[in-house]
Amino acid sequence: MLFSRVAALLSQLEGIETHDPPLLPRIKDEAARGLVERWFKSNRQAIRELEVTGGVALLSTLLPEFRTDRVYGLQAPTLGRMLSRSLCLSATRTKDLQAYREPGRGDLGQCVERVLKGGGPPATPAVTVVEIDQVLLSLAEQCHFSDPTITANAPRSSSRDKDELIGRLLKRMSPIEAKWLVRLILKDFSPVTVDDKAVLRSYHFLLPDLLRFQNDFEAGLRLLQEPKLRDIPPQPDRRSESGYRAHAASAVQPVVGVKVGRPDFRKAWSIEHCLNMLGSHQWVLERKYDGEYCEIHIDMSLSRDPGKCIKIFSKSGKDSTQDRRKIHQTLVECLRLGQTDCKIKSRAILLGELVVYSDKEHRVLPFDQIRKHVWRSGVSLGTEADSPTGTHEHLAIVFYDLLLWDDEVVLIRPIEERRQWLREIYSKLQGRAMSSEWKIVDFSDTKRARNMLIQQFAASIAQRCEGLVLKPCNVPYFSLGSSPPDEPRTFIKLKKDYMAGFGDDGDYAVIGASYHAQRALDAGVSGLKWTDFHLGCLLNTDEVLRFNARPSYQLVGTVTSHACIPKPILKALNTFGAPLATITGADAGYDIKTDNHVRIDATFIIPFVLEVLGSGYDKPSNCAFYMLRHARGKKLHQDRSWRDCITFAELQEKALAARNHPSESESQETRKWLAKIEEKLKRRLDRDGTLTPRSRKIATPIVVHSERTSATNGTTVSRSHPSPTDRSLRGTFRKNELEGSTLVEKQTHHIARSLKRTAGTPCPAPKRHCVTGLDKSHNHIASGKHFCAVPKAYPLVDITNQTSSHLGAQENSALQDPPVKGFNRQNTPTLQPAFFPTPPSSAGCTGARCPFADSVVHIAPCVSSMPYITQDLLGSHSAVIASSLQHWNRDSNAYKPMTETVSESQSHVGLRKLVLVESKRVTGTRDVVQQVLSLNQGRLKERIEVYDWRMLERCVEHEMSHQELKRFQIGATMFNQGTKRTMFVTTIPHFVVDYESGGET
């Protein structure tokens, strides 16, 4: 098969991914999946002719990330220099090839495409996928990090040989083919993400299932050539697939020496989310130790030496037998290999977690200790700053599953049977070979199971484990046969960093940024200047705070756009960072100390404050300090200073406290976490007014119905509103409606606190002024006598600066606020108030004159940090909070919302826009007014009102007359039709501001 056909498919997938306007995720996935299926159908005859070798080449080309056994040792800079030499490029064309380093110029593949377009037609013959695979294999043979089976008999070659190998191939390729070859070598097709399930299923519908038993392309394709499977059509009728699977089941089993696939995992984002996924089935709760995955294959026919009968695969699928040779003797002893009482007669496959155990502390040590005991392709990596290995430290294995034992295919049996068989096959060795702790829990007993889940989760945290893994009972590890539709088929991971409020986090200073071309394409955000952001912690905190000394930062980590920074935060950092960035080498006003060779393209004069979440702490490679593991951005705080960020000393203290064994007893630590989890659940239950995940689905609160007449068609529509009595009973239900009870014995004691808490704004007050990656909104219960209704959601379509065309003149005049005192409308006929379209219905608001009903509020920076205002006063209303005035900048509707909350506010064209300021701070108020006037380049037609925050103190009862409101009004915007400019109208002289001059008029 010609490589040009594969390149055409990848180019079409790229067209779907970069479609303008962007496609919705569901539509995009369906289009990509349909394209892959049609491509395989149209090339079915050519695929049949490939046989096993050609099939492996085709799958390796489409899914390069599956070939973990191949490591090319080529990153973009190295590959770029190689391409320049192999193509004999001039200095000018070499510069064009290196343009991928600049933002907006594409990746290295696109640069190669542009360079080759200036040349002549490609040479003949055309390149095939088999030739591509052979070249990639030759490159992998020269890298010692490749699988030992690849590098064992590799011939020696020089860099010149690599250049000629690549050059001969490129000269026979078109520019499009060359682009995809470069991306194939880098194992990164960005912005395209090839759906591996669609590719494997389109090749042969049985292939995804076969690779679960033998996770190797060549092994899977050879299985399809077996006599029992050879006659099965690659794409039969869907109704016949189950029959073919049952027919193939007897011929498929794991093979010693070929890695077995891993089941699918799902993440539990909370205890309630976990309970919803568990249903009413029986599950095994298994403690997850923080180590490295080990798949141990035993083949007694290989040698008389028991140590040579062991083969170990890592999680990625690489052969790590020699890299983990320190565990071999432990395996020989615990499995009794070579002894007369050995239970393994011929072969076996076991699963375990490789950890480091301390005989001195009698516990499993943190994850970063492993790199001192294992190697990576025979090389010790990242250990330059680590302490020497202690005599009391050694590798240990924690067994948790058995897949094959002699002739018995154990993986088709349920987990509870597999664990019983595992118990028989090995002997425990103190501190060296052990079994993971596990327990069977029946979740049909809701109350008992929930309590057991919480207790086990708290105990795992107290013992410094990663968390829990939940595996369904009565379900095989893998199976080709049919299973009931309601049968659980995935494992569930429950870790504290997945759950809000339980992970290790902190505010870090973003001191620098870098650009990575491949990550920029993968981010799905246009116009990126930076993709990687570097985090720092102050080293000289006392000198900076007391004597205003020059700050000195320790660079502690980097978060990247690839799954570590949500898109809203990534956009905000690029937008707000542009005016604050300095060029490389320029003085940013502080010093940076780094232990690694990190490329920093730009530093920020004023560091940003980024809230970072991680899963525990460890020592980064070649570093002598601790940092969050798997750090990822959570929120960008715009109301906090870099002086408020965590210092280097504080970071080390938090890391040591989290890593060390609890100073108190383990039971006390468990009780502490148990109380924290229960308090989290009680807060959620109080807020939602429900008791269990099931009761939330079946309980129906009492409602009273009111009728209103639709303004559009005159029909009567029934609406439901909670009555005062209903609100007081919202958290209680009849016994026959419950299938379990809450952790709170007497729910009524918490009703008052529940009502007070749930009447707040959609986002927590202390966290309002931040850019978040995901903002989950909830429905809230009414509070007290009066209640401001949460605005009804409308589609994001009608967000313009014009009044809706269906509004009548009477409606417009009724919605406009009275003019500000001192402003003569008759003397300025060209002026008219900014349009204020019809807001969403506020019939549910008992305070008819509440200024915060159907309103969106921006709080000025000078008062945004006062909890009394943001939490106590404004928290009793249901106004939507705009974290930045830029969310109202609707110039041509081009400004994209940065958070879900802002998206909600922009979906209502009629939301009243209020700005709360501290009038005693004249300079700060004038700055806010200046920002308001600059919206839409000074041509914003929507009315924005500015008030002193003290109006909140007079609006406790959610009712305020117009005269009372005027007492706190600073001014409001008006649109001048003559000058086509926005004006700020006020009667207070020192608040008169002009947009163009920026000063007093």
Side-chain angles (χ1 to χ4, degrees):
M1 176 181 285
L2 297 179
F3 181 66
S4 58
R5 297 188 185 183
V6 177
L9 170 63
L10 296 173
S11 297
Q12 290 176 307
L13 290 173
E14 185 177 28
I16 295 175
E17 189 70 33
T18 59
H19 187 274
D20 189 20
L23 301 174
L24 293 173
R26 181 180 58 83
I27 297 177
K28 181 173 64 177
D29 293 343
E30 290 178 356
R33 188 162 48 249
L35 178 62
V36 170
E37 292 174 355
R38 291 192 300 272
W39 187 87
F40 272 91
K41 287 180 181 178
S42 60
N43 291 276
R44 181 60 61 189
Q45 184 59 38
I47 293 173
R48 287 197 187 98
E49 298 172 357
L50 292 176
E51 297 184 346
V52 174
T53 303
V56 171
L58 175 61
L59 294 176
S60 301
T61 304
L62 287 172
L63 303 172
E65 67 277 5
F66 274 55
R67 298 306 304 264
T68 55
D69 56 332
R70 296 181 179 180
V71 180
Y72 308 125
L74 296 174
Q75 299 299 323
T78 309
L79 182 58
R81 292 191 293 269
M82 180 185 295
L83 294 173
S84 179
R85 295 192 301 265
S86 61
L87 293 174
C88 303
L89 300 180
S90 62
T92 303
R93 298 179 72 189
T94 299
K95 186 177 180 181
D96 294 337
L97 184 66
Q98 301 293 333
Y100 71 92
R101 302 174 184 268
E102 305 171 14
R105 300 295 300 275
D107 66 331
L108 180 60
Q110 291 173 316
C111 292
V112 170
E113 181 185 13
R114 287 196 295 267
V115 168
L116 292 183
K117 281 183 178 178
T124 56
V127 180
T128 65
V129 292
V130 175
E131 289 180 277
I132 295 287
D133 193 63
Q134 289 298 321
V135 169
L136 295 178
L137 179 60
S138 299
L139 292 177
E141 288 175 343
Q142 307 307 314
C143 182
H144 67 275
F145 288 104
S146 296
D147 194 274
T149 57
I150 293 179
T151 59
N153 301 317
R156 292 186 176 183
S157 63
S158 62
S159 59
R160 188 172 183 177
D161 296 332
K162 292 183 181 179
D163 296 347
E164 293 179 356
L165 192 67
I166 296 292
R168 288 196 298 268
L169 208 59
L170 289 174
K171 291 173 184 177
R172 294 164 53 198
M173 286 184 167
S174 66
I176 296 292
E177 295 174 73
K179 175 180 74 173
W180 291 109
L181 174 64
V182 170
R183 292 178 174 177
L184 177 59
I185 295 174
L186 295 175
K187 290 189 176 182
D188 191 346
F189 283 153
S190 297
V192 173
T193 301
V194 181
D195 188 344
D196 57 302
K197 294 182 179 178
V199 169
L200 296 176
R201 180 179 173 79
S202 298
Y203 190 98
H204 196 290
F205 83 101
L206 280 177
L207 190 55
D209 299 310
L210 300 182
L211 292 179
R212 289 176 176 267
F213 290 85
Q214 301 180 29
N215 194 20
D216 180 82
F217 284 153
E218 184 174 358
L221 295 183
R222 291 196 183 280
L223 274 175
L224 292 175
Q225 299 299 319
E226 293 289 330
K228 200 167 186 178
L229 306 181
R230 186 181 303 165
D231 297 331
I232 297 178
Q235 298 299 320
D237 182 81
R238 288 297 176 96
R239 293 171 295 182
S240 306
E241 288 184 0
S242 59
Y244 284 123
R245 281 194 176 92
H247 177 73
S250 59
V252 180
Q253 63 178 3
V255 174
V256 173
V258 179
K259 187 182 182 302
V260 181
R262 300 182 73 227
D264 297 328
F265 286 86
R266 295 182 66 184
K267 296 179 180 180
W269 302 111
S270 66
I271 295 293
E272 288 185 332
H273 181 225
C274 184
L275 290 171
N276 286 332
M277 290 191 292
L278 295 175
S280 58
H281 300 274
Q282 283 187 330
W283 291 75
V284 166
L285 273 60
E286 187 175 275
R287 190 162 292 178
K288 188 179 189 309
Y289 293 87
D290 196 3
E292 290 189 355
Y293 173 89
C294 274
E295 185 174 304
I296 303 163
H297 290 228
I298 307 296
D299 189 352
M300 302 302 296
S301 64
L302 293 178
S303 173
R304 292 184 177 181
D305 183 357
K308 296 181 180 180
C309 299
I310 300 172
K311 189 171 187 178
I312 302 176
F313 289 99
S314 65
K315 184 178 180 179
S316 64
K318 292 181 63 175
D319 185 350
S320 302
T321 307
Q322 290 303 312
D323 291 341
R324 299 174 176 180
R325 54 181 174 268
K326 284 189 175 182
I327 197 65
H328 289 188
Q329 186 59 34
T330 298
L331 294 175
V332 170
E333 293 179 8
C334 71
L335 296 174
R336 309 289 296 169
L337 299 181
Q339 303 296 321
T340 56
D341 57 346
C342 177
K343 299 295 182 66
I344 302 174
K345 303 305 179 184
S346 58
R347 54 181 184 163
I349 299 177
L350 303 93
L351 300 183
E353 197 81 5
L354 189 68
V355 297
V356 176
Y357 190 87
S358 171
D359 293 329
K360 180 179 179 180
E361 301 180 37
H362 302 289
R363 70 183 184 101
V364 174
L365 297 181
F367 175 79
D368 56 85
Q369 298 293 325
I370 295 181
R371 61 172 172 247
K372 296 189 296 184
H373 299 267
V374 301
W375 289 265
R376 307 295 180 227
S377 297
V379 180
S380 179
L381 297 178
T383 60
E384 294 179 3
D386 290 342
S387 60
T389 303
T391 56
H392 59 278
E393 301 175 4
H394 52 79
L395 289 180
I397 188 72
V398 181
F399 292 108
Y400 61 83
D401 217 332
L402 176 66
L403 306 183
L404 181 70
W405 186 0
D406 292 338
D407 296 330
E408 185 69 37
V409 182
V410 188
L411 61 76
I412 63 174
R413 298 180 177 273
I415 177 65
E416 55 270 31
E417 291 188 32
R418 300 200 305 270
R419 291 301 299 253
Q420 294 295 334
W421 287 49
L422 176 64
R423 182 180 298 173
E424 299 179 19
I425 201 173
Y426 80 101
S427 301
K428 291 185 178 180
L429 301 178
Q430 176 63 34
R432 294 184 177 272
M434 62 202 82
S435 173
S436 62
E437 300 179 27
W438 63 291
K439 186 178 185 64
I440 297 178
V441 179
D442 186 0
F443 282 86
S444 61
D445 185 353
T446 308
K447 180 180 178 180
R448 178 181 177 277
R450 180 189 55 196
N451 292 338
M452 183 65 67
L453 175 65
I454 295 173
Q455 291 170 7
Q456 292 296 325
F457 183 50
S460 69
I461 299 176
Q463 290 192 1
R464 302 302 188 257
C465 294
E466 271 195 302
L468 298 176
V469 176
L470 293 93
K471 303 177 180 180
C473 295
N474 306 313
V475 176
Y477 193 81
F478 287 135
S479 174
L480 280 180
S482 58
S483 57
D486 61 338
E487 182 180 272
R489 302 182 183 181
T490 60
F491 293 176
I492 298 175
K493 284 185 180 181
L494 183 62
K495 297 170 62 176
K496 68 174 185 177
D497 59 298
Y498 295 161
M499 304 167 65
F502 290 159
D504 299 292
D505 56 6
D507 292 341
Y508 290 78
V510 181
I511 57 178
S514 303
Y515 178 79
H516 191 280
Q518 273 75 32
R519 283 197 277 269
L521 292 176
D522 186 56
V525 179
S526 59
L528 289 182
K529 296 185 66 175
W530 307 293
T531 58
D532 304 354
F533 293 88
H534 309 293
L535 309 176
C537 292
L538 270 178
L539 292 168
N540 57 340
T541 310
D542 293 338
E543 291 82 358
V544 171
L545 297 181
R546 295 179 60 189
F547 309 112
N548 201 25
R550 181 182 176 89
S552 177
Y553 282 99
Q554 170 69 55
L555 195 149
V556 295
T558 300
V559 290
T560 67
S561 60
H562 181 65
C564 292
I565 305 179
K567 287 184 180 181
I569 299 179
L570 185 62
K571 293 179 185 177
L573 286 170
N574 277 269
T575 302
F576 302 146
L580 300 176
T582 63
I583 60 175
T584 305
D587 187 9
Y590 49 81
D591 301 323
I592 300 176
K593 178 184 176 182
T594 175
D595 291 347
N596 289 326
H597 299 289
V598 179
R599 180 175 62 90
I600 302 179
D601 295 340
T603 53
F604 299 116
I605 299 174
I606 303 177
F608 294 101
V609 180
L610 182 66
E611 186 175 344
V612 180
L613 176 68
S615 53
Y617 296 86
D618 67 357
K619 280 188 178 181
S621 298
N622 301 321
C623 293
F625 57 83
Y626 297 107
M627 177 54 185
L628 284 173
R629 186 179 173 199
H630 305 313
R632 49 201 185 272
K634 183 180 178 183
K635 296 178 183 177
L636 178 63
H637 295 281
Q638 297 174 299
D639 61 337
R640 303 181 187 178
S641 168
W642 54 271
R643 290 181 172 86
D644 302 324
C645 294
I646 187 172
T647 66
F648 185 75
E650 291 171 344
L651 173 62
Q652 302 312 300
E653 291 177 5
K654 290 183 65 175
L656 289 173
R659 288 166 57 94
N660 292 340
H661 204 65
S663 57
E664 303 173 337
S665 67
E666 184 179 305
S667 59
Q668 288 177 320
E669 182 81 0
T670 301
R671 283 196 294 268
K672 189 180 297 183
W673 274 101
L674 189 60
K676 186 175 181 179
I677 296 171
E678 288 181 338
E679 180 62 25
K680 181 82 173 179
L681 280 175
K682 285 190 287 186
R683 288 200 301 266
R684 182 182 294 272
L685 296 173
D686 289 344
R687 183 185 66 236
D688 294 344
T690 53
L691 305 182
T692 63
R694 289 185 188 171
S695 65
R696 184 178 301 113
K697 296 178 181 179
I698 63 174
T700 305
I702 303 171
V703 297
V704 294
H705 297 275
S706 63
E707 294 185 350
R708 65 178 178 87
T709 303
S710 173
T712 55
N713 54 17
T715 59
T716 300
V717 182
S718 176
R719 300 186 62 187
S720 298
H721 305 290
S723 66
T725 304
D726 173 40
R727 287 195 291 268
S728 66
L729 297 176
R730 193 69 173 267
T732 58
F733 300 91
R734 290 185 292 270
K735 285 186 177 180
N736 57 4
E737 293 176 336
L738 301 179
E739 294 184 23
S741 63
T742 177
L743 294 175
V744 186
E745 294 182 0
K746 294 183 179 180
Q747 181 73 12
T748 54
H749 290 292
H750 304 271
I751 292 177
R753 183 173 57 183
S754 167
L755 296 177
K756 181 178 180 179
R757 181 182 296 112
T758 56
T761 54
C763 53
K767 303 289 185 180
R768 272 181 207 136
H769 296 277
C770 59
V771 179
T772 62
L774 182 62
D775 190 9
K776 298 179 180 179
S777 59
H778 302 278
N779 293 328
H780 297 276
I781 303 173
S783 172
K785 180 180 178 181
H786 299 287
F787 169 60
C788 293
V790 178
K792 180 182 176 182
Y794 285 81
L796 289 171
V797 291
D798 190 15
I799 46 175
T800 65
N801 291 328
Q802 303 294 334
T803 306
S804 302
S805 58
H806 67 273
L807 293 177
Q810 184 177 1
E811 288 179 300
N812 275 331
S813 62
L815 289 168
Q816 293 171 0
D817 283 354
V820 181
K821 182 179 180 180
F823 185 80
N824 190 348
R825 186 173 299 179
Q826 294 179 355
N827 296 335
T828 55
T830 58
L831 289 174
Q832 67 178 33
F835 290 124
F836 188 46
T838 301
S841 174
S842 58
C845 181
T846 60
R849 295 186 180 181
C850 179
F852 297 98
D854 299 330
S855 65
V856 57
V857 181
H858 172 71
I859 309 175
C862 56
V863 293
S864 62
S865 59
M866 298 173 61
Y868 173 65
I869 298 174
T870 59
Q871 186 171 358
D872 296 342
L873 295 179
L874 194 57
S876 63
H877 300 273
S878 293
V880 179
I881 307 300
S883 60
S884 171
L885 284 172
Q886 291 299 318
H887 298 316
W888 295 343
N889 193 353
R890 302 179 181 178
D891 191 8
S892 303
N893 300 329
Y895 190 86
K896 296 182 179 179
M898 291 196 297
T899 67
E900 295 297 325
T901 299
V902 174
S903 175
E904 180 72 11
S905 69
Q906 288 194 349
S907 67
H908 306 302
V909 297
L911 282 181
R912 189 176 190 176
K913 293 170 181 59
L914 308 178
V915 178
L916 300 182
V917 300
E918 170 56 75
S919 59
K920 294 181 180 180
R921 296 180 179 268
V922 178
T923 303
T925 302
R926 287 174 56 82
D927 291 342
V928 173
V929 173
Q930 185 68 38
Q931 294 177 37
V932 170
L933 292 177
S934 65
L935 297 176
N936 248 32
Q937 301 179 353
R939 296 180 177 86
L940 185 69
K941 294 185 178 182
E942 297 178 67
R943 178 183 177 89
I944 298 178
E945 304 166 71
V946 182
Y947 290 92
D948 186 270
W949 67 268
R950 293 168 181 83
M951 67 179 292
L952 289 167
E953 293 180 328
R954 298 297 302 271
C955 197
V956 178
E957 295 298 326
H958 301 282
E959 188 170 5
M960 210 171 186
S961 66
H962 177 65
Q963 294 299 324
E964 289 181 301
L965 197 61
K966 286 203 303 181
R967 289 179 52 197
F968 301 94
Q969 188 175 37
I970 305 297
T973 61
M974 308 284 282
F975 186 75
N976 191 326
Q977 292 287 4
T979 61
K980 302 297 182 182
R981 286 287 184 182
T982 306
M983 297 178 59
F984 184 71
V985 183
T986 180
T987 58
I988 306 176
H990 50 266
F991 289 138
V992 177
V993 179
D994 180 70
Y995 165 70
E996 295 181 346
S997 65
E1000 295 184 5
T1001 58

